[in-house]
Amino acid sequence: MTDTSKATPTAIGRRTVLIATGATAATLAVAAAAPEAPTAEAAGTAPVAAAAVCTLTKEMTEGPYYLDGQYVRSDITEGKTGFPLKLALTVVDDDTCAVIPNALVEIWHADVLGEYSGFVGNNGHNEPDSGTFLRGGVLTDSSGVANITTVYPGWYRGRCVHIHVKVHTNVTLTSDGSFTGGQELHTGQLFFNETITARVGALSPYSANSVTRTTLAQDSIYDDGGAASGLLTLTALGGSPSAGYAGTLTLGVEN
């Protein structure tokens, strides 16, 4: 069972979530909103996320492909092909910017052919369906960071490339490797730089996806809000797209 005493928020239900990112923006935000800055006392009682800037963002639709009871695991690939994606998602308290350990960050997304586990065939491609590939979550560490290994997502009809995300607190880990209970604080989506996605999409195995790709600008969900709307900061892991990317974003939870 998770040590829930370390999870800061205790409020029930979904919450508006704040996105925090960028050292320069953090400096400006703290100067512009001094009452929101953590006090010395608060900073002494809980680790504070570096370069935290809090920008209000709307929750985004869960979509039709969520499945309950997924595994708690740091690698959700299950052997699926695709370019590596190393996510580091930080969860913080929006009032103090103190990090929140033991929050479960859960993600799910389509594979290179735009198919979701449990729903294979909905994007027109036939392949084995485990019902669990590219799904799962991990507890944030003492620095409030959830590190998840996956692959760069593919796309499906009518949507740009994206990852769905939920943040839960006070969950109970189960003997079968899943979780139960707790409070769901946020449901949102993570988005990808269009230039990088175009490069990735032109290469195998992504180029085998027969569905026309919807761009970031054409998407009906993404509102061009940048990091405040879930746009990841992507860093290349090598000299070519096939080497993969690191993706970072800080989610600040409003109490």
Side-chain angles (χ1 to χ4, degrees), residues 136-231:
V138 68
L139 295 173
T140 56
D141 62 18
S142 60
S143 297
V145 180
N147 290 292
I148 304 175
T149 297
T150 184
V151 296
Y152 204 101
W155 59 92
Y156 57 93
R157 190 173 291 103
R159 285 301 315 277
C160 69
V161 169
H162 63 281
I163 291 176
H164 293 270
V165 60
K166 285 182 183 286
V167 178
H168 314 256
T169 55
N170 300 324
V171 301
T172 299
L173 303 185
T174 57
S175 59
D176 63 355
S178 184
F179 69 96
T180 188
Q183 294 82 46
E184 182 183 304
L185 299 183
H186 174 61
T187 299
Q189 297 182 25
L190 308 176
F191 297 95
F192 294 77
N193 176 279
E194 178 61 29
T195 299
I196 293 175
T197 292
R199 292 172 184 160
V200 168
L203 301 174
S204 178
Y206 296 86
S207 56
N209 190 336
S210 61
V211 172
T212 300
R213 185 174 65 82
T214 297
T215 67
L216 200 62
Q218 295 168 335
D219 192 66
S220 61
I221 303 298
Y222 180 68
D223 62 4
D224 201 30
S229 297
L231 187 67

Side-chain angles (χ1 to χ4, degrees), residues 15 50 61 64 69-71 98 105 114 116 138 154 156 167 170-171 188 225 242 250:
R15 295 284 186 172
T61 177
Q70 293 303 312
Y71 293 122
V105 178
Y116 280 86
V138 68
Y156 57 93
V167 178
N170 300 324
V171 301
S242 62
T250 300

Side-chain angles (χ1 to χ4, degrees), residues 79-170:
K80 297 296 288 185
T81 60
F83 302 160
L85 179 64
K86 306 287 187 180
L87 293 172
L89 305 174
T90 304
V91 181
V92 303
D93 183 290
D94 76 292
D95 290 325
T96 64
C97 288
V99 301
I100 303 177
N102 287 332
L104 184 82
V105 178
E106 179 187 16
I107 67 170
W108 67 102
H109 64 84
D111 67 6
V112 298
L113 297 178
E115 302 290 348
Y116 280 86
S117 57
F119 301 89
V120 167
N122 280 13
N123 203 41
H125 304 91
N126 293 318
E127 57 183 356
D129 188 354
S130 67
T132 55
F133 67 73
L134 304 180
R135 297 178 181 273
V138 68
L139 295 173
T140 56
D141 62 18
S142 60
S143 297
V145 180
N147 290 292
I148 304 175
T149 297
T150 184
V151 296
Y152 204 101
W155 59 92
Y156 57 93
R157 190 173 291 103
R159 285 301 315 277
C160 69
V161 169
H162 63 281
I163 291 176
H164 293 270
V165 60
K166 285 182 183 286
V167 178
H168 314 256
T169 55
N170 300 324

